[in-house]
Amino acid sequence: MSLNLKHDFSVKYNSAKLNTQKKTAKMSHSSSISVNNKMSKVRSISSEDINNATKKPGYSLLSIVFGLLVGFVILGILGINPLIFLTGLFKGSFSDVRSFGNFLASLSWLLPLGLAMVVSFKSGFFNIGATGQMMLSGIIGWLFAYSVSGVFLGWFWAMLLGVAAGTLLAVLIGWLKLKFGINEVLSSIMFNWIVFFLYKLILAQPQFSNEAGGTLPILAENSLRADWLTDLFPGSTINIGIFFAFLALIFVWIMYRYMPFGYKTSLLGANKDAAEYAGVRVEKRTLQTFALSGALAALAGSIFYLGVKQALPVVTDNLPTEGFQGITIALIGFNTPMGAFGGALFMAMLVTSRTLISASMDGNIIDLVQGIIIIFIALSQYFIIYDPIGKARSKKMLSLPEKIRQKDDLIENLEIKKTSINKKSISKQKHSYIARQENIFQLKMSKINANFFVINEIDELVRQKDILINNLKSQDLSSEAFKAKKEKILETTELKIAKIVENSQKDILNYKEQIKTEKLTAKEEVQKLANTRKEENKKLTDQIFELKIQLKEMVSKEKQIQKEGVK
Amino acid sequence: MFISWLGVFIVAFSAYLLVSTGGLFSEKSGTVNIALDGMMIMGAFTYGIVLTTLDSTGENAGMQYVALLIVPIVGVLFSLLLAVSTVNFMADHIIAGTALNLIAPAFAMLVLVMGTEQDFVRWGLYDVVPGTDNFSYHFFAFLAIALVTFAIGYFVLNKTTFGLRLKAVGENPNALAAGGVDVNKLKYAGIMISGALAALGGAIAMPIFANNFLGNVRGMGYMAIAIIIMGQWTMLGILGGTVLFSTLMAFTANYVVFFPQEAIPKQIFEMLPFVLPIVTMMIFKSKQGPSALGQPYNKEQRN
């Protein structure tokens, strides 16, 4: 499925540029080289991705399961037993012959609708206008089938006219895209509403409408219903549209598998540059794709309105959701015809059970579940295209040369780590040594200071003693008294000196011890650092050694493989 | 007659202006937002439910402004669904938007039908007698909200760093990423702003549906997209488109008054808002939207 908005805008942008540059030259918008240059830069979802997607239908199933689960949760919150919904899904389609007939009837218009989306997605367009094409086909077909009688094969002409009208609408959208660069999504949305009001215009005509607000039923001779089919599934809405649906399926399947037309149009979606260089006429194929997609959607519309409903049913003020079911089908079927068949089976189940479910709960749950499924499929595209899981897994599974390169890198890293560790620890050692030495130096300084302090104190005391003795001399004392006093002074000074020395010795011893411990710790620290360094070195060298052995083995293996390859 | 026309005109003008301004924010940040319709439905739905629970008697007119405060929050939450799928999971914008457009009306109707009884009849139509003049002075408050939001939006988009960066994301996200700006954050901001404004617009559009909310907003969200296209992705263009479309809407709403014989079917006029953008695109093909519109931004990808 291709994201073509980006392409469109780039096309428009560039074509606009070109138009201003070369007003006289008639340039086709989608075939200019500058467009392609810009295109190639943009990563669009290519056919490779689509192929990728075809390998992973599990995502579709998972999305359906998740969608149903979320629907269940919402129902549970609203206070409704979700199991009723689940059983209703199966009962509505497979409980008896009538409901199975209805199931086939739903399938008959859902299948071409899904195929219409597959065709447009495969070529990289988004035909969101399927709703409008369906309704237009219904309107034209109804007008014919209601008013014209007595024509041979009336139902066929009604259907043909409807399909022609829907096809023309789709071609108009394609033409607007090619000629004016109008994005097909935007124009389709607008056309959907234009056709919607046309539909309402028909409903508003008093001669056409019934009391319920819908139109009167078509003439029985122009109906798509066949008596033998209705007898087979009595009471159901089954009609011969189911055969057209399967014809369409077979046609589209053959077209993409065996016909050059299918290949060429799918190339458009895969890679527009490549398609153009390969000689695909882009404009022609674009229009053809739109025509085919529109025809299929219109076929779905004819079957829906002329076969199933037999009239134009009443509508609300919003677009009918029937046309959008094609998107779900194509997405569930990962854009392949056969996948769309599976998607249509599932959607037919949902749509058919709507009447049964509406009896016990609101039928809008179907649209809700459908919307949630679309969201989940859109999310799963991310896993398919960008493949985050695969990327994570592929990192683990490497080829031999890649492994060798990885090992080599690892060894290099380890060696770098080793040297850096050594450098770091050596510098650490230096720093710690210097710090310790500083400490020791300071301690020594303080020890010396303490010594100086003691000497100073003693000096002071001696000086005081001398002063005291001199004082005694001047006081003129008798020799005995003088002697006694002198001795006293001498004693006290001695005592004081002894005290000071005692004190200071304690301090100095303290300092000495501190210096000793400091020296010891410094030694220990250095040794510790050296030891850890040695240990780490040993570990790393062991690791590197082991890795080198492994590397050798791998290299020899690779050589062997190469030799075998040569042989 | 004129009063009735004016009432619809003012309400439609306010709603369209809000929704298309919000839509422009997301388009400028490179996200195609076709889920505007779904966001409007969620806004209208939330508005109705909040109003019914806050003011079940219908006497307290101020409650509708409280409801209008809550509505944008729900709009932002709903738009996160689009943001996560398109920005983080790089889903196709149209597919995600279509899914949202399917989910919103289905959810609204499911809750309305299955939920607590049938008491969702009142939708805050204070002072309005449906069918007669259909005018309330609260409409002027709506108009003021819309105009102020538009003015702020104009200023933010054209004069602030945030707005200029937002516009750059829509043109060339890789250049912005190279400049060291978080692209995904800006994309989120664009989508969330559009969600808030679209929900607010949906709530304000409620009087048009006049007690008859059936899980849709009559395609007003799609018309907002048409307005953005017709306005050629500019704020002033949007203003012009809004005036045109709301005039048309007011005209079709009072169609019987203007055309008693219904010489021209009403549906033709209802079609007009969808024909005009196609014609506009055919004429002004030279000027187009943001160049990176609709492209997923992938960081790992070389450009």
Side-chain angles (χ1 to χ4, degrees), chain A residues 1 3 6 317 364 382, chain B residues 89 92 95 109 218 295 300:
Chain A
M1 180 205 60
L3 302 171
K6 62 185 112 168
D317 286 328
N364 281 299
Y382 172 79
Chain B
F89 287 90
D92 189 302
I95 289 176
M109 280 312 282
R218 303 190 186 173
Q295 294 176 20
E300 297 172 7

Side-chain angles (χ1 to χ4, degrees), chain A residues 311-358:
Chain A
L312 301 181
V314 65
V315 288
T316 59
D317 286 328
N318 206 3
L319 277 181
T321 52
E322 276 92 26
F324 295 115
Q325 273 147 12
I327 298 170
T328 323
I329 293 168
L331 287 177
I332 289 175
F334 31 88
N335 293 328
T336 58
M338 283 303 155
F341 179 55
L345 283 178
F346 173 73
M347 279 311 296
M349 228 163 80
L350 273 187
V351 169
T352 317
S353 62
R354 183 180 207 124
T355 42
L356 190 85
I357 286 170
S358 297

Side-chain angles (χ1 to χ4, degrees), chain A residues 201-271:
Chain A
L201 182 62
I202 298 284
L203 292 194
Q205 302 307 311
Q207 70 267 30
F208 290 158
S209 57
N210 61 12
E211 303 99 39
T215 61
L216 297 166
I218 56 174
L219 301 176
E221 56 177 303
N222 292 336
S223 168
L224 280 182
R225 290 197 190 162
D227 288 336
W228 62 275
L229 259 179
T230 318
D231 290 341
L232 220 61
F233 301 97
S236 72
T237 55
I238 190 162
N239 55 73
I240 51 173
I242 186 82
F243 301 113
F244 285 96
F246 278 104
L247 274 179
L249 172 66
I250 292 163
F251 170 71
V252 173
W253 183 73
I254 288 176
M255 188 186 94
Y256 280 120
R257 207 168 173 90
Y258 299 111
M259 278 162 65
F261 173 74
Y263 181 67
K264 281 173 185 168
T265 50
S266 64
L267 260 186
L268 284 186
N271 192 334

